[in-house]
Amino acid sequence: RTLIRDLHRLEEDALALGQGKVVAPRPGPIENIDRVQAALSAASSELERRASRHHLMLNELNHRVKNTLATVQSLAGQTFRGQMRDASEAFDKRLAALASAHDLLTQTSWEPVDIRSVVERCAETSAEAIQWSGPAAVLPAQTALALCMCLHELLTNAMKYGGLSFPAGIVRLTWTRDETGEIEMVWREEGGPPATPPERQGFGSRLIDRLTRTEMGGDIARDYGPGGLTVTLRIAPTAAGPWNNDFG
């Protein structure tokens, strides 16, 4: 009975260790089990110390990234002073979007993040004008960062020239996930002016195209219709992380 009891406790300690909990030392009457229990306890304490150091380093990294972005913003302000006011404001907003995405990823310790959190964070400046829906899906940190930048560029364009430039305009943002794990995200502008292809591709469009291909492993399609712009983004399964790890 003593052996069975101590083995059950040892199993509980192993499960607690796997969940990241601290296992308290608990000497027992059976020497071999006692040594294993002591080893589990010591391992849990060491893992807790490492997790604490990891968290501290992430916070320090985030602090340094913010300082770097602030320095870049200051340099840009000096560079653009007295010229190209629109370009300066666009640059500031891109930096702000990048900083916001970094904040989200720091909160999750740069672990895979739910796509819904990414959309909510990156669309918060126009939350009332953007109606979004889609299933939970896990994105690696770098993919989430790229998606946030893409959404910022689409949002900026919609507010200046597209559906959100009209008072009654809205954006419907939806996404689906197929059996292979590929995400298809559709950005559809409604209630604004008719969409016409631009005479030349701007920086924002080039940025979206590059991020979609290089960071999300997918592709992009644009439809310029009388009802407004529709953009379809596809994120490859390899860039979308472990789908079985949903967030509910």
Side-chain angles (χ1 to χ4, degrees), residues 124-139:
E124 62 184 356
T125 56
S126 301
E128 295 181 358
I130 298 180
Q131 300 177 6
W132 57 268
S133 64
V138 180
L139 297 178

Side-chain angles (χ1 to χ4, degrees), residues 161-188:
Y161 313 111
L164 299 186
S165 64
F166 279 35
I170 62 170
V171 170
R172 299 189 191 278
L173 179 62
T174 59
W175 64 90
T176 56
R177 186 175 84 198
D178 66 20
E179 64 278 0
T180 69
E182 182 182 78
I183 292 178
E184 182 176 276
M185 176 175 281
V186 179
W187 170 283
R188 182 175 290 105

Side-chain angles (χ1 to χ4, degrees), residues 62-139:
N62 190 47
H63 177 70
R64 291 179 182 273
V65 167
K66 285 186 175 181
N67 285 345
T68 301
L69 291 176
T71 301
V72 172
Q73 189 172 29
S74 177
L75 289 173
Q78 295 292 330
T79 302
F80 289 128
R81 177 173 291 178
Q83 53 182 313
M84 298 184 296
R85 179 177 178 83
D86 289 345
S88 177
E89 291 180 353
F91 188 80
D92 284 346
K93 289 178 180 178
R94 287 184 177 115
L95 279 181
L98 186 60
S100 179
H102 268 275
D103 279 341
L104 172 63
L105 295 172
T106 301
Q107 291 171 11
T108 60
S109 299
W110 283 79
E111 293 293 328
V113 61
D114 185 359
I115 190 173
R116 296 173 299 183
S117 298
V118 177
V119 171
E120 185 174 24
R121 172 63 66 93
C122 300
E124 62 184 356
T125 56
S126 301
E128 295 181 358
I130 298 180
Q131 300 177 6
W132 57 268
S133 64
V138 180
L139 297 178

Side-chain angles (χ1 to χ4, degrees), residues 191-239:
T196 56
E199 296 181 358
R200 65 180 183 86
Q201 191 179 42
F203 173 79
S205 295
R206 295 198 304 273
L207 178 63
I208 292 173
D209 290 354
R210 187 173 72 247
L211 290 174
T212 302
R213 291 193 307 270
T214 61
E215 302 297 337
M216 294 188 274
D219 56 47
I220 181 172
R222 296 177 176 88
D223 179 26
Y224 299 92
L229 175 66
T230 298
V231 178
T232 303
L233 289 171
R234 291 183 178 84
I235 303 175
T238 53

